[in-house]
Each structure stands twice: as structure tokens, then as C-alpha cells.
Amino acid sequence: MRVLGIETSCDETGVAIYDSEQGLLGDVLYSQVKMHAEYGGVVPELASRDHVRKLLPLLDEVFQNAGLEKGDVDALAYTSGPGLIGALMVGASTGRALALAWDKPAMGVHHMEGHLLAPMLEEHPPSFPFVALLVSGGHTQLVQVDGIGQYALLGESLDDAAGEAFDKAAKMLGLDYPGGPLVAQHALQGDRTRFRFPRPMVDRPGMDMSFSGLKTYTLNTANDHRDNDGRIDDQTMCDIAAAFEEAVVDTLAIKCKRALQHTGFKQLIIAGGVSANQRLRERLEEMVVKERAELFYARPEFCTDNGAMIAYAGCQRLMAGQHSGLEIVTKPRWPL
Ligand code: KG4
Ligand code: ZN
């Protein structure tokens, strides 16, 4: 089965074609990040308009790149939620309209299911069952995955998502949006031992997490080291970034270890924007070796939002005989 996937839930317009026999045939992405950086975060109305502007040219491009006639797919998949309502509407209405015009079935896909299955697009994919750590700008969840659509929540952040905490910590350090990659970059030059931030909720049983306190810790530490002009010297900034990253990564590793022990599973996958974080990957690699388990993740461009993961997730659902109705359904809030 060949599926066209459309992702427009936030600030990336992603379109891809996945074929269940041949794999990924085309994948194009337009990121709005530069436009939103000016405002220090995603501006929903600007995001919707930019999706409208970019989606049709990207659709032309993906068919061209795949060497296919436009419309030469068996079905369509689009992100139905969760995400920004206006942004979701653009992808969902386009997907639905094309499905009607080409007389093909269409499937509304859960954005986090897309992330969760993204490692399946790699050469050595995991096999069911596994534990998934979903770490994005909007979600931080540990999920027991027994198969497509068989998800049990093991634990989640009770306040900020890990990516959101990265973005807010970055802002406090005077770094641009999105802050995650910039905090990681500065942390590389930082001394990870100069400041020690707490590991929230690790002394409590269970797999729930909390990251908002680390934000406050970041702000207080930064404020303690400002000069008379309110500036922090570069090395101190890098040291704070390193302490923050270390605390987030360490906390996630402790909770992932618990999830492996709780389920008895030997495979851990990480997905979502924060799974691109190099330090997180290193720390989890160390942990899984000790647990005699294996770690899986997607290539960096498939950790953040993209159309390929939606095409793949949609294809799995469609092959299982599922499809959405004719109405255009978007769900800004939608539990996995
Ligand atoms: O999955 P994603 O692209 O969008 C959502 O569905 O939210 O995730 C974006 C989040 C942002 O918060 C961004 O700062 C974070 O992922 N991120 C990172 C890294 N790359 C992206 N956080 C830490 N380290 C990174 N290398
Ligand atoms: Zn995402």
C-alpha cells in the first residue's frame, strides 16, 4: 500500500510518500522556525497561513521527487491532532479534499503515534513489544507499546514537557527559539559538574515526571551570576545549560530504567524532538547496556515533526482496515 502523509500540527509543513513494500519514496519538509523565532515562540495564526502557502507546492514536489504521477497513491494520511487547531485544519482539510478528488480512503493520524512509530522507518527497527519515551515540545510520556494502537501510559510529566522546559530554560539564558538544540550546543562547552540541579520526582515511586522546577532553578542560578548590567558571562551560561541538560537527561534515564524493569521489556525507543538530543542518547545507551536492553531512535530529521512518520503510521492503520469518515476532524487535545 502506498500512502501520502501530511503533517501540519505545529510549525513544520511535512509531506511524504511511504510504500509498505518499497519504503519511503519521497519526503519534503518546510520549517517555519525562522519566522516564529522573531516572536520567541510559535504564533498560531502565522503558522496556519504559512501551512496554506507551502502545502500545495510541497505536494507537487514530493510526487516529483518520488518519480510518481500526482495522485498515484492508494490512500492518504494527515495529522488530526493534537496540535494547533488552525494549523491542523490546513493539513486535515487538504488531505480530506484530495482523498475525495482522487477517490481514495484517508486516515486521520495521532501526531504522537507518528512520533512513536518513526524509529520503524530506520534500517534496524524495533519489534513489538517495547517501551517508548515520547519527548517533544508538548508531551513527555512513557508508554508501553504492545502493537499498533495498543498503548498503555506508564507515566508522564505532570507539568511542562521536557522540550518545553528546554525552550523556556533557553529563553532565560537569552537563547533563541526553539531553545532545545541551542541549550544542547552550549552545554557541550559547559562544565557539567559546576552546578548540580535536582532530579525531580526520582525519590518517589512510579514513572511520572516534573520539569517546571528545573526552569525556576535555571532562572535563579542565572540571576545569582548576573553582572551589574544583568549579563551572564559565556562560560557560566554554558555551565548552566550543561547542568540543566544533565538534570533533564538523568531524570529521563532513571524513569526509562524503571519502565524497562516494570514491563520486563528489552527494547526502549525514544521519539519526538528531544530524542534528537545527543546527551540523552549517550546517557540512555549507558543505561540500556546495564539493563541488557536495546535503544532505538530515528534519524535526527525524523525526531522532530515530519510527514514521513504520518505516512508510515497512517499506512499501518489503513493496512489494518481502518479509515476515517468524510468529515474533517481535528482534535487539538487528544490523548494517545
Ligand atoms: O516533536 P517536535 O518537533 O514538536 C512537537 O511535537 O512538540 O519537538 C520540538 C521540541 C522543542 O521543544 C525543541 O526545543 C526540542 O524538541 N528539541 C530538542 C533538541 N532538538 C529539538 N531538545 C533538546 N535537544 C535537542 N537536540
Ligand atoms: Zn511533534
Side-chain angles (χ1 to χ4, degrees), residues 14 61 66 107 138 171 176 207 284 294 322 329:
E61 197 181 327
M107 179 83 210
K171 217 173 213 176
D176 281 344
M207 287 160 273
L284 290 176
E294 220 181 325
Q322 302 175 20
V329 179

Short mmCIF file of all heavy atoms in Angstrom, two decimals, residues 14 61 66 107 138 171 176 207 284 294 322 329:
data_model
loop_
_atom_site.label_atom_id
_atom_site.label_comp_id
_atom_site.label_asym_id
_atom_site.label_seq_id
_atom_site.Cartn_x
_atom_site.Cartn_y
_atom_site.Cartn_z
N GLY A 14 5.11 19.13 6.61
CA GLY A 14 5.80 17.93 6.14
C GLY A 14 4.90 17.11 5.24
O GLY A 14 3.73 16.91 5.54
N GLU A 61 6.08 18.81 -5.12
CA GLU A 61 7.49 18.43 -5.01
C GLU A 61 7.66 16.97 -4.60
O GLU A 61 8.51 16.26 -5.14
CB GLU A 61 8.14 19.35 -3.98
CG GLU A 61 9.65 19.38 -4.04
CD GLU A 61 10.22 20.30 -2.96
OE1 GLU A 61 9.58 21.33 -2.62
OE2 GLU A 61 11.31 19.97 -2.45
N ALA A 66 9.47 11.58 -5.91
CA ALA A 66 9.24 10.14 -5.87
C ALA A 66 9.14 9.54 -7.28
O ALA A 66 9.08 8.33 -7.44
CB ALA A 66 7.96 9.85 -5.08
N MET A 107 -7.00 8.66 6.35
CA MET A 107 -6.94 8.32 7.78
C MET A 107 -6.39 9.50 8.56
O MET A 107 -5.32 10.02 8.22
CB MET A 107 -6.00 7.11 7.93
CG MET A 107 -5.79 6.64 9.34
SD MET A 107 -7.15 5.56 9.80
CE MET A 107 -7.22 5.86 11.56
N GLY A 138 5.44 19.34 23.35
CA GLY A 138 4.14 19.34 24.02
C GLY A 138 3.89 18.13 24.91
O GLY A 138 2.95 18.13 25.70
N LYS A 171 15.24 30.53 26.90
CA LYS A 171 14.79 31.92 26.95
C LYS A 171 15.42 32.64 28.14
O LYS A 171 15.88 33.77 28.02
CB LYS A 171 13.25 31.93 27.09
CG LYS A 171 12.60 33.06 26.32
CD LYS A 171 11.08 32.91 26.36
CE LYS A 171 10.47 33.43 25.07
NZ LYS A 171 9.04 33.22 25.00
N ASP A 176 17.75 31.86 21.55
CA ASP A 176 16.59 31.95 20.65
C ASP A 176 15.66 30.75 20.75
O ASP A 176 15.99 29.74 21.35
CB ASP A 176 17.07 32.06 19.20
CG ASP A 176 17.51 33.48 18.89
OD1 ASP A 176 17.17 34.39 19.67
OD2 ASP A 176 18.22 33.67 17.88
N MET A 207 6.51 6.40 37.50
CA MET A 207 7.19 6.88 36.30
C MET A 207 6.72 8.26 35.86
O MET A 207 7.02 8.70 34.77
CB MET A 207 7.02 5.84 35.19
CG MET A 207 7.90 4.62 35.45
SD MET A 207 7.37 3.15 34.57
CE MET A 207 6.19 2.45 35.70
N LEU A 284 21.19 7.22 27.75
CA LEU A 284 20.29 6.06 27.64
C LEU A 284 21.03 4.83 27.12
O LEU A 284 20.72 3.71 27.51
CB LEU A 284 19.09 6.39 26.76
CG LEU A 284 18.09 7.39 27.36
CD1 LEU A 284 16.98 7.70 26.36
CD2 LEU A 284 17.48 6.85 28.65
N GLU A 294 18.01 -2.76 24.54
CA GLU A 294 18.50 -2.10 23.33
C GLU A 294 17.75 -0.78 23.14
O GLU A 294 16.56 -0.68 23.45
CB GLU A 294 18.23 -3.01 22.12
CG GLU A 294 19.35 -3.02 21.11
CD GLU A 294 19.01 -3.92 19.93
OE1 GLU A 294 18.35 -4.96 20.11
OE2 GLU A 294 19.39 -3.55 18.81
N GLN A 322 -8.53 0.17 8.75
CA GLN A 322 -9.18 1.36 9.33
C GLN A 322 -9.14 2.52 8.34
O GLN A 322 -8.25 2.61 7.52
CB GLN A 322 -8.43 1.79 10.60
CG GLN A 322 -8.36 0.72 11.65
CD GLN A 322 -7.51 1.15 12.84
OE1 GLN A 322 -7.28 2.32 13.07
NE2 GLN A 322 -7.04 0.18 13.58
N VAL A 329 -12.06 16.03 10.72
CA VAL A 329 -11.99 16.02 12.18
C VAL A 329 -10.61 16.47 12.63
O VAL A 329 -9.60 15.90 12.21
CB VAL A 329 -12.28 14.60 12.74
CG1 VAL A 329 -12.18 14.60 14.26
CG2 VAL A 329 -13.66 14.13 12.30
#
